Amino acid sequence: YAMLLSLVFLIVLVAAIVGFVFRHEIKANFETNLNLALKNYNATVDQHSDAVDTIQRTLHCCGVQNYMDWEKTEYFAQRGIPQSCCKSQDDCSERDLKDLNKAKLKVFVDGCFFLVTSTMESKMSVVAGISFGIACFQVKSPLLS
């Protein structure tokens, strides 16, 4: 039992260290994948497009750095900025979404990359605290037996 707890403790410790050491690579990889998801966005039942829509709706953001990132995509050429960027679904026509000047007033202008990474970083202290608490409990538990 102590061996199993030691193994779990080591796994948690290594995961925390790896996450801390490679956090910049994780951010860069996330930014690359978010850019790729925008490039391949098609508004159908595709898991990447669905993820982009969910992020944009949930965090009230649009694009990677800002809403103008959509201008470089095939989807924008055909249909404009996606509906998931709209502040209000009732006041967001396809014609408005094809014009960046009009769209600026109707969509979230902030990009999602900064919001996602700052949200993750703000939650990391909570995750680290919980992991440390669990690890301490695991080390303390065999000693009490």
Side-chain angles (χ1 to χ4, degrees):
Y1 178 72
M3 194 70 141
L4 179 66
L5 284 179
S6 298
L7 180 65
V8 170
F9 173 76
L10 286 174
I11 290 171
V12 169
L13 186 63
V14 168
I17 292 170
V18 167
F20 181 75
V21 170
F22 293 111
R23 69 184 182 279
H24 298 295
E25 287 82 1
I26 292 168
K27 284 171 76 171
N29 191 25
F30 174 71
E31 185 175 19
T32 301
N33 286 327
L34 191 55
N35 275 313
L36 188 61
L38 254 66
K39 181 182 175 192
N40 297 325
Y41 183 86
N42 59 17
T44 60
V45 185
D46 169 288
Q47 66 183 11
H48 299 290
S49 299
D50 192 37
V52 169
D53 286 336
T54 301
I55 290 170
Q56 291 182 151
R57 278 192 199 102
T58 305
L59 295 178
H60 299 241
C61 58
C62 189
V64 178
Q65 301 302 327
N66 60 44
Y67 75 103
M68 295 183 77
D69 292 335
W70 283 102
E71 184 179 25
K72 304 171 204 138
T73 65
E74 268 185 51
Y75 182 83
F76 180 83
Q78 296 169 3
R79 301 182 62 192
I81 297 173
Q83 289 283 331
S84 59
C85 284
C86 293
K87 293 176 187 175
S88 169
Q89 297 297 318
D90 301 332
D91 185 33
C92 220
S93 69
E94 191 173 310
R95 193 175 78 236
D96 292 339
L97 295 174
K98 285 185 175 183
D99 182 350
L100 287 176
N101 293 322
K102 289 181 183 176
K104 184 177 183 176
L105 304 171
K106 305 211 179 220
V107 301
F108 303 113
V109 292
D110 296 326
C112 297
F113 175 72
F114 176 74
L115 288 172
V116 169
T117 55
S118 63
T119 301
M120 285 173 33
E121 287 172 354
S122 71
K123 305 296 184 208
M124 285 305 284
S125 60
V126 173
V127 171
I130 291 170
S131 296
F132 182 72
I134 291 171
C136 286
F137 179 73
Q138 289 173 339
V139 170
K140 188 178 179 183
S141 186
L143 297 175
L144 293 175
S145 299

